[in-house]
Amino acid sequence: MSKNSIAAVGQVGEVLAELFPMLRPQWSAAWLEFREIGTHREGLFVFEVDGGRYTNDVPAQLMDQLSEVRQLTCGPGGSTWFECKAELNPAKPGHYETDFIYREPAWVKQPEAGDYLAEAERMELPVWFLHKMATAS
């Protein structure tokens, strides 16, 4: 794992620490979802308590921090992930698992064509992105 990857995972942990107070007592599962392309960003903090699921929007300053994580993990040609998921487990206090996902995410709200174009300007394009560009109007 590179130094940038280690730093990125650490920053995700900092975001989770800021979100932790949102949890209700007796939570059974919790996770962070962050997706970004161009200027389109989605951030959700989800947790389960007694069979109910609660979804909170990630505050803007934490969304900015997650965007920084994305920039920190850029590879050659500017390629990077489009979705980050981080999962907390109440049975493992202080432990979390982070997954950086490079395929197209399941967007809550579909990004605008301009978001795909903005992303294209800063990176080499993956195959799914090229297909989206071909069908953009």
Side-chain angles (χ1 to χ4, degrees):
M1 184 179 278
S2 74
K3 285 182 4 180
N4 281 353
S5 295
I6 292 168
V9 170
Q11 277 191 274
V12 171
E14 291 173 17
V15 169
L16 289 170
E18 291 291 324
L19 294 171
F20 195 80
M22 290 182 184
L23 290 172
R24 295 188 182 170
Q26 307 303 315
W27 62 278
S28 58
W31 62 93
L32 166 68
E33 298 177 7
F34 176 76
R35 294 173 279 278
E36 182 174 56
I37 192 165
T39 60
H40 180 84
R41 300 189 306 184
E42 301 175 349
L44 300 172
F45 184 59
V46 184
F47 60 91
E48 295 177 351
V49 178
D50 296 327
R53 182 173 286 182
Y54 302 89
T55 302
N56 300 280
D57 290 329
V58 173
Q61 75 274 12
L62 298 178
M63 296 277 280
D64 292 343
Q65 193 169 345
L66 291 165
S67 288
E68 289 173 18
V69 169
R70 189 168 183 256
Q71 290 304 313
L72 184 64
T73 56
C74 281
S79 64
T80 190
W81 50 270
F82 295 94
E83 182 173 24
C84 172
K85 291 185 178 182
E87 186 174 338
L88 295 166
N89 182 337
K92 298 179 181 179
H95 176 81
Y96 61 95
E97 292 189 26
T98 304
D99 191 16
F100 297 112
I101 302 163
Y102 292 79
R103 65 182 180 281
E104 183 177 20
W107 303 104
V108 172
K109 180 181 178 231
Q110 188 64 37
E112 306 271 331
D115 293 311
Y116 290 94
L117 292 171
E119 193 74 14
E121 290 175 357
R122 60 160 222 81
M123 65 171 277
E124 295 175 13
L125 303 176
V127 174
W128 67 261
F129 195 98
L130 294 171
H131 290 296
K132 285 285 187 182
M133 294 299 296
T135 60
S137 51

